[in-house]
Structure formats: structure tokens, C-alpha cells
Amino acid sequence: MEALILSRWQFAITTTYHFLFVPITLGLSIFVALLETCYVRTRRPHWKAASRKLVKFFGTLFLINFALGVVTGIVQEFHFGMNWSEYSRFMGDIFGAPLALEALTAFFLESTFLGLWVFGWKKLSPKLHCACIWIVALGSNISAFWILVANSFMQHPVGYAIENGRAVMTDFPALITNHYVLGEYSHAFFSGITTAGFVVLAVSVWKVLHDESSRYAFTQTVKAGAIFMLIGLFGAMGSGHLHTQYLAQANPMKLSSIEALWETADPAPFAIVADIDQSARRNDSEIAVPGVFSFMLYNRPTGAVPGINQLQAQAVEKYGAGDYIPDVCGLFWSFRIMIGLGGLMMLLGFVTLFLAHTGRLTQKPFRCWLRFLPALLPLPFIANSVGWFIAEAGRQPWIVVGLQRTADAVSPNLTGGEVWLTLIGFTLIYLVLIIAALCIALRYIHQTTITDEPAAERGRD
Amino acid sequence: MDLTILWFILITVLFTGFFILEGFDYGVGMLLPFLSRRDEDRSQVLMTIAPVWDGNEVWMITAGGALFAAFPHVYATMFSTFYLALFLMLVALILRGAAFELRGRSQHACWRRAWEAAICFGSAVPAFLWGVAVIDLLKGLPINQDMTYAGSFFDLLSIYSIVGGITFLAVFVFHGATFLSIRLQNTGLILRARSLARVWGIIAAAAFVLCLLLTVFSTDILTRPAAVGLLVLAALLFIGAYIRLCGRHYVSSFVLGALTIACTTVGFFAALFPRLMVSSLNPAYSLTITNAASTPYTLSIMTVAALVLVPIVLIYQGWTYYVFRHRITPDDVQEHSY
């Protein structure tokens, strides 16, 4: 039992930590690729040198992030066998394929072409060099696609049969065209764009305010970062909305838990805040807007949404006695935090874009406010983490919804002591690494200046 | 051909690629702190593998992924059996991977020295542990009828497996040194690497022979002449590599070293076939290509993917080595402020 709880904590810590870096990789690789494309294609002489320096600047931040993403990714892959061997046995016929394909189609691309990109500035032609970073961006996204194919199966199994107590693959195309993949991938992709956009925005604003000589170049990236982030936010909003509508068929228990809707309702209200009592299976009090939940799901103000208690009764009928309700309180508030942060980032994006566009970034009242913007850098990361909490905690008590319980998936030979040791070990090393990486990244941001004489002149008029 | 046999061969190919490529990466990493007192020299040493180490490490990840896809029971049993050993290996690989990126980002001598130590540690630990794992797999582990490991961490360590670990470590040091001698321009560094390789080559040869003898006594390898032949051939190739190194024929020494590793890996898998994990409790509990495999449907999909993708990977990885074929000079270090 102890090994189970600890293994869950270890996996949660590793995934959350890993997913601090993944979205930056997904988004920033595309951002750097776009920047380099601008550098290769631009014919404005005053912009050529500066844009090359910008590519290197954001490229370096990308590399520091990427290194940590890679090393924690290996831990992730090993964890399935180390801590979850019964899961690997039960699911290996299906789950192993996307993982192996991820390595073959994505990891090789990313690692090889990133090496070429970093060390090939003088060895490759500018166009070929630029192509390398595009291939890295492509590889990162292919990687995200495969791992989300695997995750989607856990959330919503398709194309399988149960033979001799194991899940076996019967339809590979169904696995990759699982509607769930579309929702998860598009949402992860746009979260990546959002996160990278926010990183670019925060770093650029800091440079504009604190480093006068680099002001012109970084004013450009403030705009670019804000636009990038806004695209990501709109995409994340749209994909999130469509995915939620799809959840109504694919995983109603998760959906109703997110909304803390205990009893079936038609039309279903949307609770803005609720005092949730999981053990009594009801909300002690709530502030709700009538009909909005139905409207979000069905685009009309009516329509029944099944309540958690009814779904629990159905599940007991189908799978036998047990508690099939996930952590409602955690899901409910995670969802609201995610939405709230999305709205806040959108506001910040529009405001900074407007200020940068009208040249007011360094004017008096705004200047003071913008000083706080870099301190808000954790926002997209919190939004990403609670988003994954919703996805993963929302399928509990299942590891594969309807097929295998998390409690049955853990490696039987592990002792609590062993997992304690590794849990503490991994956590400590993660802490040391992120501190080292942050220090280096901050120092690098601080020390790099991107001056360009003609550009600086243009910046003054 | 039966797909499970094909996948046994593909796993062998992936591990062979992994040990040859990561072999010299680990070797260079282990030699790093001992090659020169000058920071610029060590930067040059690191530059020889900087563009390629990550791509090489993917061979290990792919081998793991392929085991998962083709032989899920092996993946499940192996990774949970080696739980603490893999934890150590992961810690080493995390430190090593981060070190390649972080070392060059500051000029402080302490900072750089610390990350070099991380690279050395992060290369030595996996090199050693892979050797231990290979021997454990060969001699068998207490695996019960549920395919679950019934021993403890210390059952993984024996004189035999430790000798295996030392063999791997020493061969990789030698392999790294010959790689450096064809990738560096600085003659002083090459000679230093060569003299270290001469010492470690002797250790490797002695450990290899000892390991071979222990294998004959502890396993059923004598019933498999092909495996014995390959391992003896590996030993002969290694002697060849050593002689060529002493004669300063670095390229052929490196190639012979790579062939040594290839023969050892193939010999190891030949000694296992058709088993993948041997049970010391009861031969019937062993995990084989029959009882541990995925379904024919999954295997056929993975086969198509592997046969299309692996050649493409080989082409572009080969091209990378072609792009970075020039010997590393101090200018390269300067250019990348490495």
C-alpha cells in the first residue's frame, strides 16, 4: 500500500516537473524557428545582426529548458516499468507501440537536429541551419502527439480487446484517430504556444525596462511574444471548450466532477464557487448560474447533465462495488484556477501589446506596473500543472478508465522503503537542477545585450 | 520469419548501436577530468561529443521503448527488478545530461569543475551498471511464476556481475580514448588519451577474460557454440584494437574497438536466445520471446515502422557525423564559447 501511494507521488512529481519544460519546448522551438526564418529572409540591413542575436538569445533559453526536459523525459519512460510493472504488463501491447514510435519518429529527430543546430552555425548554409530548428520543432510536436495517443487510451480506451487478462491492440488506426487525442494534443499544443509566448513576453519586458541599449530589439519581441501568447490562449480556449463538450460522451464522471454536479440536472447550472463535501457527496453551499453548464456543453440553455451520484450508481452496476468518484474538490478548483489564469494572461497580453504598439512601455505609470510582469511568470506553469491534474486525477480510481485500477497497476516487488528512497532522491535532484538552471538563465538574460547602432537610432524616433 | 525472432534481432541491433555509440560517449565522459589540467583542453574534449551525445542516448531510449512495445513482460519485469539500480542510473543520466548544457554557461572554475565531475560520474555509473545488468540477465535472476522478481537489490550484485561491470567500464574508457584520438587535433591530448587507454586496455582485457571464464562456469553458454564463438572473437578483436592503438593507427583501433562491442553484444543476446530474462528458480519461469511478446498484430505494425524508420535514422545520424567530421580545434571551443 505504501509503495502505491509513494509511487503515485513520485510519478506526479516527475510528470509535473517534466511538464514545466515540455510546453516551453513545444512553443519556443516554433518561436525560435520563426525568428530564424525572419533572420534568414530579412533584407533590412539594420535588422539582420540584431535578429541573429535574438535567435541565439532565445535559442539559448530554449536549450537550457530542453536539456532539463530531456533528462526528466527519460525518467518518465523508465517509470512505467520501474513503478508500474503490472500496468506495463496489462497495457504493453497497446501502450508500448506509441512509446517506441515516439523514440523512433521524434526523439532521434529532435536530438540529432538540435545538435546540428547548436554546433552547425558555420558548417551549414543559413537555410539548412534554419531548417534544422524547424525539424526540432516538428520532432517536439510529433513526440507530444505520440505520448498523448498513449495518454488518450488511458482516458478513453478504443481499438482494443481483452485477451487472457491483458488489453491487446486490435485497431491501430483507431488508436491514433481517437477523438480524445485531438482534444489533448491541440490543447497541449496551444498551452505550449501560450507558455512560450509568456516567457518571451516576460523576458522581453524585463529587458526593455532594465537594459536601455537592448530596448529596440526587445520591444519587437514584446509584441511578438504577446501575439504568440494570445494566439495560444485563443487556441487553448477553443480546444478546451470543444474537448469539454466531447467529455460529455467520453468521460462524464470527470466532467461532472469538474463542475461538482452531484445530482443529474436539466438544465444544469454552472457553479462559480462551491463548498464541496466529498464524503457526504453534496455541496454544502454554492453560487451557481442556472443553465450555463448545459449551454457550455450543448450550445443551448437546456439539456440534461448526469450527476456524480447517478454516475457512481451506474459504475457500481457495471464494475461492482467501489468508489468511482475522483477528487471532486481538487478538480473543481483546478478547473477554475486554469480558466481564471487563462483570462488573466489574456488581459496581460492585450495590455502589453497595446502599450508596446503605441510605444508606451517605458512611460511613467505603465513602467511601474510592467516591472511586476516578470514576477507573474509562474502563471502559465500553474495553469499547465492544474490542467494536467484535471486530466490525470479526473480518471481516478482508474489508471485505464474502465479496464485497470491504479491500485492494481503498481509493481508488486517494490517496498515502501525503496520508493521512499527514490522519491526523495528524485525530488532533491529536481530541486537542485531547477535552481541551477534558473540561476544560469537569469544570469544569461541579465548579461546579454542586443545592441545595433542603426536599430537603436530607429528606436528613439 | 516469425516476428518475435525478428524483434529479438531488432532489440539486439538497438542495443548494439547503443553500446557502440554511447560507449565512446561514456568513455569520453569518464576520461574528461583526467586528460588535462587546462580548462580549454577539457572543453575541446567535450566538444568531440557535444553535438552527438544526445542522439546517441536516444538509442538506449529506443531500445527501452522497443522492449516495451515488442516484449512488454520483459520491460515490466526487467525495469522493476533493477529498480534501485535504474534509479542510480537515472540520477547519473540526469546529472550528465544537465551538465553538458550547464557547464559552458559560466566561466567560474568551480562551476565548470563540478559539472565535469557530474559528467564523469554520470558516465561511469551507467557504464558500470549496464555491465552488471548484462551479467545478471545472463546468469539468471530469482523470477517467480508471476514473472515478478523475488530477490532484493543486493541479489543483483555478485563477484561475477561486478566483474561484468568493470569490463564494460574499462572497455568503454578504451573506446572513448580511441574516439578522442580520431576527433582531436591537439597531439598532447591524444597522447595522454593513448597512455590512459593503454592502462585501461589491459584492465579491460583482464576483466574480459575473467568474465568469460566466469560465464563458462556460471551459465549454460557452452551449449551455445555461436555465443562462445562471438565472445572469443570479441576478445581477439580487442587485442587487435589494442595493438593498433600502440602502433598509433587510431582509426583502425577505433573500428576494431567498436567491433569488439558489437560482437560482445550480439554474443550476449545469442547466449540468451530465445530467452530474454532467465529465471534462476525454474527454467520454466524464464521470460522468452514466446511468453513475453506482444500480439502478432502489434508486432506487425511495429515491424513496418521499424523497418522504414531505422534506416532513415541511420542516414541522418550518419550525416551528422559527416558534418562534424573535422578534428576539434581551439577555435571550435571559442566559436561556441563552450
Side-chain angles (χ1 to χ4, degrees):
Chain A
M1 200 58 203
E2 203 186 7
L4 170 68
I5 299 291
L6 295 172
S7 293
R8 287 185 65 182
W9 270 106
Q10 182 167 305
F11 198 86
I13 290 170
T14 302
T15 334
T16 310
Y17 188 75
H18 180 56
F19 208 77
L20 296 176
F21 312 110
V22 173
I24 308 187
T25 301
L26 287 178
L28 204 55
S29 57
I30 296 176
F31 186 81
V32 173
L34 286 169
L35 263 182
E36 189 169 355
T37 312
C38 291
Y39 156 68
V40 172
R41 293 183 62 94
T42 188
R43 298 191 187 224
R44 288 182 287 175
H46 66 271
W47 184 235
K48 195 85 180 168
S51 61
R52 184 183 150 106
K53 284 181 196 157
L54 276 176
V55 174
K56 286 219 170 186
F57 177 78
F58 286 107
T60 303
L61 297 184
F62 170 74
L63 289 174
I64 296 172
N65 160 74
F66 187 83
L68 295 198
V70 166
V71 294
T72 47
I74 308 174
V75 183
Q76 200 86 321
E77 187 196 337
F78 279 32
H79 263 0
F80 296 117
M82 288 167 67
N83 293 71
W84 306 100
S85 68
E86 292 315 292
Y87 167 78
S88 303
R89 263 181 233 295
F90 178 76
M91 280 282 291
D93 196 60
I94 297 160
F95 197 82
L99 248 63
L101 285 167
E102 186 187 14
L104 279 171
T105 55
F107 292 161
F108 274 122
L109 270 188
E110 281 178 283
S111 56
T112 309
F113 285 91
L114 195 62
L116 282 164
W117 187 75
V118 176
F119 296 98
W121 281 93
K122 283 190 179 162
K123 295 192 165 65
L124 303 173
S125 74
K127 278 186 182 165
L128 196 55
H129 189 262
C130 182
C132 286
I133 190 74
W134 276 111
I135 294 174
V136 172
L138 178 73
S140 310
N141 280 284
I142 295 174
S143 159
F145 171 78
W146 284 120
I147 199 66
L148 292 174
V149 164
N151 184 267
S152 294
F153 186 90
M154 300 165 77
Q155 311 280 357
H156 182 57
V158 290
Y160 71 98
I162 302 290
E163 278 175 21
N164 306 324
R166 289 174 65 204
V168 298
M169 196 198 297
T170 55
D171 189 353
F172 182 68
L175 203 65
I176 51 176
T177 55
N178 186 349
H179 198 297
Y180 219 99
V181 178
L182 191 65
E184 283 203 335
Y185 175 72
S186 56
H187 203 56
F189 172 79
F190 285 117
S191 314
I193 301 281
T194 306
T195 311
F198 201 104
V199 170
V200 171
L201 183 67
V203 170
S204 306
V205 163
W206 193 87
K207 288 301 277 185
V208 166
L209 296 183
H210 292 86
D211 179 2
E212 215 163 314
S213 56
S214 310
R215 189 165 287 165
Y216 175 73
F218 282 103
T219 305
Q220 308 303 311
T221 56
V222 167
K223 290 183 213 165
I227 292 171
F228 207 64
M229 177 173 84
L230 287 169
I231 292 172
L233 283 166
F234 279 110
M237 214 166 69
S239 62
H241 175 65
L242 292 176
H243 191 57
T244 312
Q245 292 194 330
Y246 171 68
L247 272 188
Q249 327 153 20
N251 199 338
M253 179 61 105
K254 183 190 278 183
L255 181 67
S256 298
S257 302
I258 289 170
E259 301 301 348
L261 182 75
W262 293 94
E263 304 299 332
T264 303
D266 182 10
F270 179 84
I272 298 168
V273 290
D275 181 9
I276 297 160
D277 186 346
Q278 175 124 12
S279 52
R281 294 186 179 169
R282 63 187 170 86
N283 296 342
D284 288 337
S285 58
E286 61 178 32
I287 301 172
V289 193
V292 171
F293 189 20
S294 291
F295 185 75
M296 280 161 62
L297 292 182
Y298 309 120
N299 304 325
R300 58 188 157 81
T302 55
V305 183
I308 301 169
N309 288 329
Q310 282 72 34
L311 291 166
Q312 159 73 13
Q314 284 174 22
V316 169
E317 214 169 283
K318 197 169 170 190
Y319 306 116
D323 184 358
Y324 298 94
I325 305 173
D327 174 11
V328 177
C329 194
L331 291 177
F332 181 86
W333 288 110
S334 292
F335 188 74
R336 274 139 195 84
I337 291 171
M338 185 174 74
I339 304 294
L341 290 179
L344 182 59
M345 286 190 278
M346 197 172 278
L347 184 70
L348 289 171
F350 276 118
V351 170
T352 35
L353 183 60
F354 173 75
L355 293 178
H357 188 66
T358 52
R360 291 181 202 175
L361 282 176
T362 51
Q363 282 178 12
K364 253 276 148 140
F366 312 119
R367 192 187 165 88
C368 301
W369 299 346
L370 284 173
R371 278 181 187 276
F372 292 102
L373 186 73
L376 297 179
L377 196 59
L379 293 188
F381 297 95
I382 298 171
N384 291 332
S385 304
V386 291
W388 268 113
F389 178 81
I390 296 167
E392 298 300 282
R395 68 175 153 72
Q396 301 302 333
W398 300 105
I399 192 163
V400 187
V401 174
L403 299 182
Q404 192 183 34
R405 278 166 231 251
T406 311
D408 301 331
V410 73
S411 303
N413 60 320
L414 292 189
T415 62
E418 286 175 326
V419 193
W420 264 122
L421 185 70
T422 58
L423 173 62
I424 294 170
F426 280 127
T427 310
L428 283 180
I429 202 168
Y430 293 160
L431 278 175
V432 171
L433 275 191
I434 200 157
I435 291 169
L438 274 177
C439 288
I440 284 298
L442 290 177
R443 226 178 63 117
Y444 178 76
I445 293 168
H446 186 70
Q447 288 178 346
T448 312
T449 48
I450 301 184
T451 45
D452 203 53
E453 280 315 313
E457 270 162 36
R458 280 172 61 94
R460 276 198 285 275
D461 59 39
Chain B
M1 190 188 343
D2 190 356
L3 284 180
T4 51
I5 298 177
L6 180 69
W7 271 91
F8 189 91
I9 296 170
L10 274 170
I11 301 272
T12 310
V13 170
L14 288 170
F15 271 100
T16 308
F18 161 51
F19 285 138
I20 292 177
L21 295 169
E22 275 287 79
F24 63 73
D25 281 355
Y26 290 155
V28 171
M30 286 186 276
L31 286 166
L32 176 69
F34 309 105
L35 283 170
S36 173
R37 286 177 191 281
R38 294 175 63 230
D39 185 80
E40 309 89 276
D41 288 348
R42 295 194 302 276
S43 294
Q44 290 180 45
V45 170
L46 267 187
M47 275 290 284
T48 60
I49 53 170
V52 293
W53 74 269
D54 194 10
N56 295 344
E57 195 171 272
V58 174
W59 281 85
M60 176 186 76
I61 299 172
T62 308
L67 266 183
F68 199 173
F71 303 106
H73 288 297
V74 175
Y75 174 81
T77 305
M78 191 187 287
F79 280 59
S80 54
T81 298
F82 291 112
Y83 188 78
L84 287 181
L86 284 175
F87 165 70
L88 278 178
M89 190 186 295
L90 285 172
V91 168
L93 291 177
I94 291 172
L95 286 174
R96 178 170 174 268
F100 276 108
E101 186 53 46
L102 295 178
R103 174 191 174 268
R105 302 264 172 233
S106 167
Q107 295 306 318
H108 284 291
C110 286
W111 173 270
R112 294 166 80 92
R113 274 292 192 179
W115 287 114
E116 283 164 24
I119 291 176
C120 182
F121 169 82
S123 305
V125 168
F128 178 78
L129 288 177
W130 274 110
V132 170
V134 159
I135 296 302
D136 279 337
L137 292 174
L138 206 58
K139 82 167 193 296
L141 289 164
I143 295 167
N144 66 20
Q145 67 271 38
D146 299 323
M147 298 184 175
T148 303
Y149 180 58
S152 74
F153 173 67
F154 293 101
D155 292 334
L156 302 174
L157 295 173
S158 60
I159 303 274
Y160 179 28
S161 63
I162 288 170
V163 170
I166 294 170
T167 311
F168 266 58
L169 191 137
V171 170
F172 288 163
V173 170
F174 180 86
H175 193 42
T178 52
F179 177 76
L180 283 177
S181 59
I182 56 176
R183 295 288 293 114
L184 285 170
Q185 202 175 44
N186 183 327
T187 328
L189 276 177
I190 294 178
L191 287 177
R192 176 88 183 121
R194 177 167 161 266
S195 63
L196 283 168
R198 289 177 72 156
V199 176
W200 281 92
I202 299 284
I203 299 174
F208 197 103
V209 171
L210 185 58
C211 199
L212 209 55
L213 288 173
L214 285 166
T215 306
V216 168
F217 290 118
S218 322
T219 69
D220 58 356
I221 196 166
L222 287 181
T223 59
R224 297 154 186 274
V228 179
L230 279 163
L231 292 178
V232 172
L233 178 62
L236 295 174
L237 284 166
F238 191 72
I239 294 170
Y242 192 84
I243 293 170
R244 298 301 282 176
L245 181 90
C246 294
R248 301 191 186 187
H249 302 285
Y250 298 123
V251 175
S252 58
S253 173
F254 175 73
V255 172
L256 286 169
L259 287 174
T260 306
I261 294 173
C263 276
T264 312
T265 316
V266 178
F268 158 69
F269 278 99
L272 280 181
F273 185 85
R275 302 162 301 178
L276 280 150
M277 288 190 85
V278 180
S279 170
S280 58
L281 300 178
N282 182 342
Y285 299 160
S286 294
L287 280 73
T288 68
I289 60 167
T290 327
N291 69 6
S294 285
T295 55
Y297 179 73
T298 300
L299 285 179
S300 61
I301 284 172
M302 290 311 299
T303 304
V304 174
L307 294 183
V308 173
L309 291 166
V310 171
I312 297 176
V313 168
L314 283 174
I315 290 170
Y316 65 69
Q317 273 207 338
W319 178 62
T320 312
Y321 282 93
Y322 176 75
V323 170
F324 297 111
R325 68 192 173 281
H326 302 291
R327 284 175 182 267
I328 299 295
T329 63
D331 291 343
D332 292 302
V333 175
Q334 207 103 61
E335 185 200 334
H336 298 285
S337 54
Y338 204 76

